[in-house]
């Protein structure tokens, strides 16, 4: 079953209302909000590389309030244990049974703050739940439900006492972006409302978590022409063949692109994906998946430059609109 034009129009209107609502708490960052919301509807996760105080917590809370979901915040530190994230099984002497006590990962929106400050062992506690939306403790699987979005943050400036995220972990993030500082006009509006320390608490709920899951299922039915799929595969292969890369875009990265491109198209009222959708998303979806050759990196090459070179070298197809 493929999405109809009528369903695409409904999706576009609902998506815009969700962005408008979150924008009330995170002013002037509609593009970032739309990208994060697209990642959630594509059932992926987001890595925010940003300085402190740019609104990351506000984004998570506002998004949870908008979809009638729950939100938790985990402050990652060197002494954080995997069980502090996922939960732990404890023996109850009264009932004489082992009971599972859920960790903070059981929420609709999970903010993993400064994820690179925790040890690799603790970071790996997120691998299963980010990939399969479940946690396995003592051999028992526990579903976290839908929607489920991890927004992880890391500070790009202060690197003392941090652990670099391994490629396997980075590859599980659908999108990497940053919120950044607001412009002067928006900053004045934020300062004018300084008395309200929690603006997301006043946001009305737009839809339910069940409706979000339905939107995700609907977005998955957007048509992708075989020519667009081939174009996506060719771009990914070109990143692997580029002389400046040691590791290019994986198959998981290509699949991630197709998933979020469907949401991106539906959010614009289309029931089919265009090559331009892939081009627009190449930066946030693929940049963090590229590992540069050390000599090329020392010479000033960036992952962004590799993406730009690949987009220029691979010809985009003239795709048919829909089946």
């Amino acid at each position: 079953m493929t999405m109809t034009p009528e369903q695409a129009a409904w999706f576009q209107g609902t998506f815009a209302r969700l962005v408008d609502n979150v924008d009330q708490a995170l002013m002037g960052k509609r593009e970032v909000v739309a990208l994060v919301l697209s990642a959630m509807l594509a059932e992926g996760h987001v890595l925010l590389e940003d300085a402190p105080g740019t609104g990351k917590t506000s984004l998570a809370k506002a998004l949870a309030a908008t979809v009638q979901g729950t939100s938790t915040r985990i402050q990652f530190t060197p002494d954080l244990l995997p069980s502090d994230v996922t939960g732990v099984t404890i023996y109850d002497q009264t009932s004489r049974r082992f009971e599972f006590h859920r960790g903070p990962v059981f929420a609709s929106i999970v903010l993993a703050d400064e994820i690179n400050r925790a040890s690799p062992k603790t970071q790996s506690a997120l691998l299963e739940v980010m990939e399969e939306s479940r946690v396995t403790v003592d051999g028992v699987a526990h579903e976290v439900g839908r929607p489920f979005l991890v927004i992880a943050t890391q500070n790009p400036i202060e690197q003392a006492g941090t652990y670099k995220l391994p490629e396997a972990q980075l590859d599980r993030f659908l999108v990497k972006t940053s919120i950044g500082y607001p412009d002067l006009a928006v900053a004045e509006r934020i300062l004018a409302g300084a008395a309200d320390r929690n603006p997301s608490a006043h946001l009305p709920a737009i839809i339910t978590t069940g409706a979000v899951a339905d939107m995700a299922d609907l977005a998955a039915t957007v048509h992708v022409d075989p020519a667009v799929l081939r174009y996506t595969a060719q771009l990914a292969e070109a990143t692997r063949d580029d002389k400046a890369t040691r590791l290019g875009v994986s198959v998981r990265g290509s699949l991630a692109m197709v998933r979020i491109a469907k949401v991106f198209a539906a959010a614009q009222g289309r029931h089919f994906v265009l090559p331009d959708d892939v081009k627009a998303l190449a930066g946030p979806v693929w940049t963090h998946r590229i590992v540069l050759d050390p000599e090329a990196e020392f010479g000033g090459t960036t992952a962004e430059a590799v993406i730009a070179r690949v987009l220029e070298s691979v010809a985009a197809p003239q795709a048919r609109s829909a089946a």
Side-chain angles (χ1 to χ4, degrees):
M1 178 180 174
T2 303
M3 177 185 284
T4 65
E6 293 75 20
Q7 289 173 323
W10 173 85
F11 192 102
Q12 181 185 27
T14 305
F15 188 92
R17 288 173 56 210
L18 296 174
V19 173
D20 289 341
N21 202 57
V22 176
D23 188 57
Q24 295 181 52
L26 197 74
M27 300 179 188
K29 298 295 179 181
R30 291 185 59 85
E31 290 186 3
V32 176
V33 172
L35 188 60
V36 173
L37 183 58
S38 296
M40 182 174 73
L41 292 175
E43 300 192 292
H45 308 283
V46 178
L47 177 63
L48 293 178
E49 191 170 80
D50 233 327
T54 52
K56 298 181 288 290
T57 302
S58 296
L59 172 61
K61 288 183 176 180
L63 196 55
T66 299
V67 302
Q68 290 187 2
T70 56
S71 67
T72 57
R73 179 179 177 273
I74 309 171
Q75 182 62 53
F76 278 69
T77 57
D79 60 347
L80 192 73
L81 299 175
S83 58
D84 295 330
V85 176
T86 60
V88 64
T89 301
I90 299 176
Y91 183 72
D92 189 328
Q93 293 184 345
T94 303
S95 62
R96 295 185 179 181
R97 293 187 307 173
F98 285 96
E99 295 183 355
F100 177 66
H101 291 249
R102 295 185 171 192
V105 78
F106 286 86
S108 306
I109 315 292
V110 179
L111 180 64
D113 209 6
E114 295 187 295
I115 187 174
N116 55 335
R117 291 201 175 278
S119 67
K121 181 178 181 179
T122 302
Q123 290 178 18
S124 66
L126 288 173
L127 291 178
E128 179 188 13
V129 71
M130 288 175 65
E131 187 71 18
E132 302 177 25
S133 297
R134 69 181 184 185
V135 170
T136 302
V137 178
D138 295 333
V140 180
H142 306 273
E143 302 290 334
V144 295
R146 298 172 71 195
F148 175 67
L149 172 68
V150 174
I151 302 177
T153 74
Q154 57 181 6
N155 188 338
I157 305 300
E158 187 181 356
Q159 298 300 320
T162 63
Y163 301 86
K164 183 179 178 181
L165 295 181
E167 282 70 31
Q169 180 100 38
L170 285 172
D171 205 32
R172 279 170 169 78
F173 287 103
L174 180 59
V175 165
K176 179 184 178 184
T177 187
S178 63
I179 297 176
Y181 292 110
D183 59 34
L184 183 59
V186 174
E188 290 179 357
R189 289 170 55 200
I190 294 173
L191 294 177
D196 187 359
R197 303 192 63 175
N198 187 15
S200 60
H202 312 299
L203 291 180
I206 302 300
I207 58 176
T208 64
T209 52
V212 173
D214 291 340
M215 286 184 71
D217 292 337
L218 181 61
T221 66
V222 170
H223 174 73
V224 186
D225 193 270
V228 177
L229 294 176
R230 189 178 308 110
Y231 177 58
T232 303
Q234 288 173 335
L235 289 173
E237 185 176 34
T239 65
R240 298 191 291 267
D241 293 339
D242 192 283
K243 61 181 184 300
T245 63
R246 192 177 68 184
L247 189 67
V249 175
S250 66
V251 176
R252 182 189 284 122
S254 299
L255 290 169
M257 173 61 78
V258 173
R259 294 206 317 270
I260 195 170
K262 290 182 176 184
V263 178
F264 189 81
Q268 298 181 60
R270 282 185 279 106
H271 60 290
F272 53 89
V273 175
L274 295 175
D276 285 345
D277 298 332
V278 177
K279 290 181 180 180
L281 294 165
V285 177
W286 281 349
T287 300
H288 61 288
R289 304 174 193 271
I290 293 176
V291 178
L292 296 172
D293 179 81
E295 291 187 9
E297 189 173 14
F298 183 76
T301 300
T302 62
E304 290 80 3
V306 172
I307 294 293
R309 187 159 58 234
V310 164
L311 290 175
E312 187 176 350
S313 63
V314 178
Q318 298 295 322
R320 295 184 297 275
S321 62

